[in-house]
Amino acid sequence: MQNIIVSGGNSGIGLESARGLLQHGHHVVILGRDPRKGESALASFGATRERASFVQADLSTHDGVRQAARELLTAHERYDAILHTTGVMTFEDLRTADGLHPFFTVNYLSRYHLTQLLLPALRYAEHPRVVMMSAHVPLTTRIDMADFPQYTPFSFTRMRKPIQIANHHYAAHLAATEPGLLAGVVNAGTARTDIFRMQPRWMRTTAAVLGPLFFDSIDKAAHNAINATGRQDWPTSSYWRKTGDFSHPTPISLDASQTSTVIAASRDLTSA
Protein backbone atom coordinates (compact mmCIF):
# COMPACT_ATOMS: atom_id res chain seq x y z
CA MET A 1 0.00 0.00 0.00
CA GLN A 2 1.38 3.39 -1.00
CA ASN A 3 1.13 6.61 1.00
CA ILE A 4 -0.16 9.45 -1.18
CA ILE A 5 -0.82 13.10 -0.35
CA VAL A 6 -3.55 15.00 -2.18
CA SER A 7 -3.47 18.73 -1.43
CA GLY A 8 -6.89 20.20 -2.05
CA GLY A 9 -8.32 16.72 -1.64
CA ASN A 10 -11.41 17.80 0.28
CA SER A 11 -13.36 19.08 -2.74
CA GLY A 12 -13.63 19.14 -6.53
CA ILE A 13 -11.04 17.39 -8.69
CA GLY A 14 -8.82 16.75 -5.68
CA LEU A 15 -11.63 14.93 -3.88
CA GLU A 16 -12.41 12.82 -6.96
CA SER A 17 -8.70 12.03 -7.35
CA ALA A 18 -8.41 11.00 -3.70
CA ARG A 19 -11.44 8.76 -4.10
CA GLY A 20 -9.92 7.10 -7.17
CA LEU A 21 -6.58 6.52 -5.45
CA LEU A 22 -8.33 4.98 -2.45
CA GLN A 23 -10.21 2.65 -4.76
CA HIS A 24 -6.83 1.49 -6.09
CA GLY A 25 -5.89 0.42 -2.56
CA HIS A 26 -3.64 3.30 -1.49
CA HIS A 27 -3.53 5.22 1.77
CA VAL A 28 -4.41 8.85 1.10
CA VAL A 29 -3.82 11.95 3.19
CA ILE A 30 -5.91 14.92 2.04
CA LEU A 31 -4.99 18.51 2.82
CA GLY A 32 -7.47 21.35 3.01
CA ARG A 33 -8.25 24.61 4.84
CA ASP A 34 -11.76 23.77 6.01
CA PRO A 35 -12.01 20.96 8.61
CA ARG A 36 -15.74 20.61 7.97
CA LYS A 37 -15.09 19.90 4.31
CA GLY A 38 -12.32 17.55 5.35
CA GLU A 39 -14.62 15.53 7.57
CA SER A 40 -17.31 15.52 4.88
CA ALA A 41 -14.76 14.25 2.35
CA LEU A 42 -13.67 11.44 4.68
CA ALA A 43 -17.28 10.44 5.29
CA SER A 44 -17.89 10.28 1.52
CA PHE A 45 -15.23 7.60 1.04
CA GLY A 46 -17.41 4.84 2.45
CA ALA A 47 -15.61 1.53 2.95
CA THR A 48 -12.23 3.05 2.02
CA ARG A 49 -12.51 5.64 4.81
CA GLU A 50 -10.16 3.63 7.05
CA ARG A 51 -7.29 4.29 4.62
CA ALA A 52 -7.84 8.05 4.47
CA SER A 53 -6.92 10.91 6.80
CA PHE A 54 -7.23 14.69 6.78
CA VAL A 55 -4.71 17.39 7.68
CA GLN A 56 -5.93 20.96 8.04
CA ALA A 57 -3.55 23.29 6.22
CA ASP A 58 -3.40 26.87 4.99
CA LEU A 59 -1.07 26.54 2.02
CA SER A 60 -1.24 30.24 1.15
CA THR A 61 1.46 31.15 3.68
CA HIS A 62 5.01 29.97 4.41
CA ASP A 63 4.09 29.14 8.01
CA GLY A 64 1.03 27.17 6.90
CA VAL A 65 3.11 25.07 4.50
CA ARG A 66 5.75 24.41 7.15
CA GLN A 67 3.12 23.35 9.69
CA ALA A 68 1.53 20.98 7.15
CA ALA A 69 4.93 19.45 6.36
CA ARG A 70 5.63 18.86 10.06
CA GLU A 71 2.31 17.06 10.53
CA LEU A 72 2.80 14.97 7.40
CA LEU A 73 6.32 13.92 8.35
CA THR A 74 5.14 13.00 11.84
CA ALA A 75 2.40 10.79 10.39
CA HIS A 76 4.56 8.87 7.89
CA GLU A 77 8.25 8.36 7.25
CA ARG A 78 7.68 7.58 3.56
CA TYR A 79 5.45 9.14 0.93
CA ASP A 80 5.17 7.61 -2.52
CA ALA A 81 3.47 10.50 -4.27
CA ILE A 82 2.15 14.02 -3.91
CA LEU A 83 -0.72 15.32 -6.01
CA HIS A 84 -1.14 19.10 -5.86
CA THR A 85 -4.67 20.16 -6.81
CA THR A 86 -5.07 23.24 -4.59
CA GLY A 87 -6.00 26.35 -6.51
CA VAL A 88 -7.60 29.77 -6.18
CA MET A 89 -9.01 32.01 -8.88
CA THR A 90 -9.37 35.71 -8.13
CA PHE A 91 -9.13 38.97 -10.04
CA GLU A 92 -8.52 41.08 -6.92
CA ASP A 93 -5.14 42.38 -5.80
CA LEU A 94 -5.06 40.50 -2.50
CA ARG A 95 -2.03 39.79 -0.29
CA THR A 96 -1.16 36.99 2.11
CA ALA A 97 0.59 37.43 5.46
CA ASP A 98 3.85 37.09 3.53
CA GLY A 99 2.95 39.98 1.20
CA LEU A 100 2.43 37.74 -1.83
CA HIS A 101 -0.62 37.27 -4.02
CA PRO A 102 -2.63 34.14 -3.14
CA PHE A 103 -2.92 33.15 -6.79
CA PHE A 104 0.87 32.88 -6.86
CA THR A 105 1.28 31.21 -3.47
CA VAL A 106 -1.50 28.62 -3.81
CA ASN A 107 -1.23 27.84 -7.52
CA TYR A 108 2.55 27.56 -7.56
CA LEU A 109 4.75 28.49 -4.60
CA SER A 110 3.10 26.21 -2.02
CA ARG A 111 3.62 23.25 -4.37
CA TYR A 112 7.34 24.00 -4.60
CA HIS A 113 7.65 24.68 -0.87
CA LEU A 114 5.71 21.65 0.42
CA THR A 115 7.39 19.26 -2.00
CA GLN A 116 10.84 20.52 -1.08
CA LEU A 117 10.11 19.95 2.62
CA LEU A 118 8.82 16.44 1.90
CA LEU A 119 11.63 15.33 -0.42
CA PRO A 120 13.32 13.29 2.35
CA ALA A 121 10.14 11.24 2.74
CA LEU A 122 9.70 10.90 -1.03
CA ARG A 123 13.27 9.60 -1.39
CA TYR A 124 12.31 6.61 0.76
CA ALA A 125 9.84 5.52 -1.93
CA GLU A 126 10.87 3.12 -4.66
CA HIS A 127 9.16 5.15 -7.40
CA PRO A 128 8.30 8.63 -6.04
CA ARG A 129 5.99 10.92 -8.03
CA VAL A 130 5.12 14.60 -7.85
CA VAL A 131 2.11 15.70 -9.89
CA MET A 132 0.85 19.27 -10.15
CA MET A 133 -2.53 20.31 -11.53
CA SER A 134 -2.84 23.56 -13.45
CA ALA A 135 -5.08 25.27 -15.95
CA HIS A 136 -3.80 24.88 -19.49
CA VAL A 137 -0.78 27.01 -20.30
CA PRO A 138 1.36 26.87 -23.47
CA LEU A 139 4.90 25.63 -22.88
CA THR A 140 6.13 28.67 -24.81
CA THR A 141 4.95 30.96 -21.98
CA ARG A 142 7.71 33.14 -20.54
CA ILE A 143 7.96 34.48 -17.00
CA ASP A 144 8.82 38.16 -16.64
CA MET A 145 11.15 38.07 -13.65
CA ALA A 146 10.42 41.76 -13.06
CA ASP A 147 6.96 40.58 -11.89
CA PHE A 148 8.10 37.42 -10.08
CA PRO A 149 7.30 36.98 -7.20
CA GLN A 150 5.38 40.10 -6.10
CA TYR A 151 3.01 40.33 -9.08
CA THR A 152 1.88 43.81 -8.16
CA PRO A 153 -0.40 45.30 -9.17
CA PHE A 154 -2.01 41.95 -9.88
CA SER A 155 -3.53 41.40 -13.31
CA PHE A 156 -5.17 38.00 -13.74
CA THR A 157 -5.29 38.33 -17.51
CA ARG A 158 -1.59 39.14 -17.86
CA MET A 159 -0.16 37.10 -14.99
CA ARG A 160 -2.14 33.84 -14.87
CA LYS A 161 -0.08 31.95 -17.42
CA PRO A 162 3.37 33.12 -16.21
CA ILE A 163 2.46 32.05 -12.68
CA GLN A 164 1.14 28.67 -13.69
CA ILE A 165 4.02 27.84 -16.04
CA ALA A 166 6.21 27.92 -12.93
CA ASN A 167 4.76 24.47 -12.11
CA HIS A 168 6.25 23.14 -15.33
CA HIS A 169 9.61 24.68 -14.49
CA TYR A 170 9.52 22.97 -11.11
CA ALA A 171 8.64 19.64 -12.73
CA ALA A 172 11.60 20.06 -15.08
CA HIS A 173 13.84 20.90 -12.13
CA LEU A 174 12.75 17.84 -10.15
CA ALA A 175 13.25 15.59 -13.16
CA ALA A 176 16.78 16.90 -13.58
CA THR A 177 17.85 16.87 -9.94
CA GLU A 178 16.03 13.96 -8.26
CA PRO A 179 17.09 10.60 -9.76
CA GLY A 180 14.21 8.15 -10.00
CA LEU A 181 11.53 10.72 -9.22
CA LEU A 182 8.74 11.25 -11.74
CA ALA A 183 7.47 14.82 -12.01
CA GLY A 184 4.61 16.02 -14.18
CA VAL A 185 1.81 18.52 -14.69
CA VAL A 186 -1.80 17.76 -15.60
CA ASN A 187 -4.25 20.17 -17.19
CA ALA A 188 -7.30 20.57 -14.96
CA GLY A 189 -9.53 21.22 -17.95
CA THR A 190 -12.77 23.15 -17.53
CA ALA A 191 -14.51 21.29 -14.72
CA ARG A 192 -16.81 23.42 -12.57
CA THR A 193 -15.48 23.24 -9.01
CA ASP A 194 -15.36 25.28 -5.79
CA ILE A 195 -12.69 27.45 -7.41
CA PHE A 196 -15.58 29.57 -8.71
CA ARG A 197 -16.70 30.50 -5.20
CA MET A 198 -14.51 33.64 -5.20
CA GLN A 199 -15.85 34.89 -8.51
CA PRO A 200 -18.42 37.65 -9.12
CA ARG A 201 -22.06 36.61 -8.99
CA TRP A 202 -22.49 37.00 -12.76
CA MET A 203 -19.64 34.55 -13.38
CA ARG A 204 -21.00 31.99 -10.91
CA THR A 205 -24.45 32.28 -12.48
CA THR A 206 -23.05 31.88 -15.99
CA ALA A 207 -21.07 28.83 -14.91
CA ALA A 208 -24.17 27.26 -13.38
CA VAL A 209 -26.28 27.81 -16.51
CA LEU A 210 -23.71 26.93 -19.18
CA GLY A 211 -21.81 24.31 -17.21
CA PRO A 212 -23.50 21.26 -18.75
CA LEU A 213 -22.57 22.52 -22.24
CA PHE A 214 -18.96 23.61 -21.76
CA PHE A 215 -17.49 22.05 -18.61
CA ASP A 216 -15.74 18.70 -18.30
CA SER A 217 -17.10 16.22 -15.80
CA ILE A 218 -15.19 15.94 -12.53
CA ASP A 219 -14.27 12.32 -13.19
CA LYS A 220 -12.84 13.21 -16.62
CA ALA A 221 -10.84 16.08 -15.10
CA ALA A 222 -9.44 13.72 -12.45
CA HIS A 223 -8.57 10.89 -14.85
CA ASN A 224 -5.02 11.97 -15.70
CA ALA A 225 -4.28 13.07 -12.14
CA ILE A 226 -5.27 9.66 -10.76
CA ASN A 227 -3.20 7.81 -13.34
CA ALA A 228 -0.10 9.98 -13.07
CA THR A 229 -0.18 9.83 -9.27
CA GLY A 230 -0.91 6.12 -8.98
CA ARG A 231 1.25 4.74 -11.80
CA GLN A 232 5.00 4.57 -12.41
CA ASP A 233 5.10 3.82 -16.16
CA TRP A 234 5.29 7.34 -17.59
CA PRO A 235 8.29 9.47 -18.59
CA THR A 236 9.34 12.11 -16.10
CA SER A 237 8.87 15.79 -16.95
CA SER A 238 5.54 15.15 -18.70
CA TYR A 239 2.60 17.46 -19.32
CA TRP A 240 -0.89 16.09 -19.96
CA ARG A 241 -2.57 18.79 -22.02
CA LYS A 242 -5.79 16.96 -22.85
CA THR A 243 -8.11 15.92 -20.05
CA GLY A 244 -9.07 12.26 -20.05
CA ASP A 245 -6.15 11.24 -22.29
CA PHE A 246 -3.35 9.74 -20.22
CA SER A 247 -1.70 7.94 -23.14
CA HIS A 248 -0.31 11.03 -24.88
CA PRO A 249 1.73 13.25 -22.56
CA THR A 250 3.83 16.10 -23.93
CA PRO A 251 7.48 16.32 -22.84
CA ILE A 252 8.13 19.47 -20.82
CA SER A 253 10.83 21.32 -22.74
CA LEU A 254 11.63 24.76 -21.35
CA ASP A 255 14.42 27.31 -21.26
CA ALA A 256 16.83 25.80 -18.72
CA SER A 257 18.19 29.19 -17.73
CA GLN A 258 14.71 30.43 -16.85
CA THR A 259 14.06 27.23 -14.91
CA SER A 260 17.20 27.88 -12.86
CA THR A 261 16.15 31.48 -12.23
CA VAL A 262 12.64 30.50 -11.12
CA ILE A 263 13.92 27.79 -8.78
CA ALA A 264 16.55 30.10 -7.28
CA ALA A 265 13.91 32.75 -6.60
CA SER A 266 11.55 30.15 -5.09
CA ARG A 267 14.35 28.90 -2.84
CA ASP A 268 15.10 32.44 -1.68
CA LEU A 269 11.43 33.03 -0.86
CA THR A 270 10.91 29.85 1.15
CA SER A 271 14.40 28.87 2.34
CA ALA A 272 13.57 25.38 1.04
Side-chain angles (χ1 to χ4, degrees), residues 192-208:
R192 181 170 175 260
T193 67
D194 281 355
I195 203 168
F196 283 93
R197 70 186 182 278
M198 297 178 69
Q199 302 316 303
R201 182 184 297 274
W202 68 266
M203 185 175 290
R204 298 197 305 271
T205 301
T206 301

Side-chain angles (χ1 to χ4, degrees), residues 91-128:
F91 296 88
E92 298 180 53
D93 192 9
L94 308 172
R95 297 290 140 178
T96 69
D98 302 304
L100 300 170
H101 197 279
F103 189 88
F104 171 72
T105 59
V106 176
N107 292 287
Y108 163 65
L109 189 64
S110 67
R111 288 127 178 251
Y112 166 88
H113 193 183
L114 185 62
T115 301
Q116 288 295 114
L117 295 176
L118 296 178
L119 277 178
L122 285 165
R123 290 172 183 143
Y124 278 117
E126 185 176 358
H127 300 289

Side-chain angles (χ1 to χ4, degrees), residues 31 35 76 89 106 119 137 166 234 236 238 247:
L31 305 185
H76 296 282
M89 181 179 171
V106 176
L119 277 178
V137 53
W234 48 273
T236 192
S238 287
S247 300

Side-chain angles (χ1 to χ4, degrees), residues 7-152:
S7 68
N10 59 347
S11 65
I13 302 172
L15 175 59
E16 184 66 20
S17 299
R19 182 174 290 112
L21 292 164
L22 285 165
Q23 290 171 354
H24 283 86
H26 303 304
H27 177 268
V28 176
V29 182
I30 60 175
L31 305 185
R33 293 187 63 170
D34 189 337
R36 290 173 298 178
K37 285 187 177 181
E39 289 303 317
S40 176
L42 293 177
S44 75
F45 294 145
T48 63
R49 164 68 178 82
E50 63 183 18
R51 286 186 280 104
S53 57
F54 172 75
V55 171
Q56 183 179 6
D58 178 3
L59 299 180
S60 69
T61 68
H62 300 335
D63 285 347
V65 172
R66 292 178 186 123
Q67 177 60 32
R70 284 192 291 268
E71 292 190 39
L72 291 165
L73 292 172
T74 298
H76 296 282
E77 182 181 63
R78 186 200 82 245
Y79 285 102
D80 298 272
I82 304 175
L83 171 61
H84 295 282
T85 71
T86 47
V88 298
M89 181 179 171
T90 178
F91 296 88
E92 298 180 53
D93 192 9
L94 308 172
R95 297 290 140 178
T96 69
D98 302 304
L100 300 170
H101 197 279
F103 189 88
F104 171 72
T105 59
V106 176
N107 292 287
Y108 163 65
L109 189 64
S110 67
R111 288 127 178 251
Y112 166 88
H113 193 183
L114 185 62
T115 301
Q116 288 295 114
L117 295 176
L118 296 178
L119 277 178
L122 285 165
R123 290 172 183 143
Y124 278 117
E126 185 176 358
H127 300 289
R129 285 95 61 203
V130 175
V131 180
M132 292 164 278
M133 179 167 283
S134 170
H136 173 63
V137 53
L139 294 178
T140 54
T141 301
R142 298 283 300 178
I143 298 175
D144 185 345
M145 296 309 294
D147 292 328
F148 191 104
Q150 294 300 322
Y151 291 101
T152 183

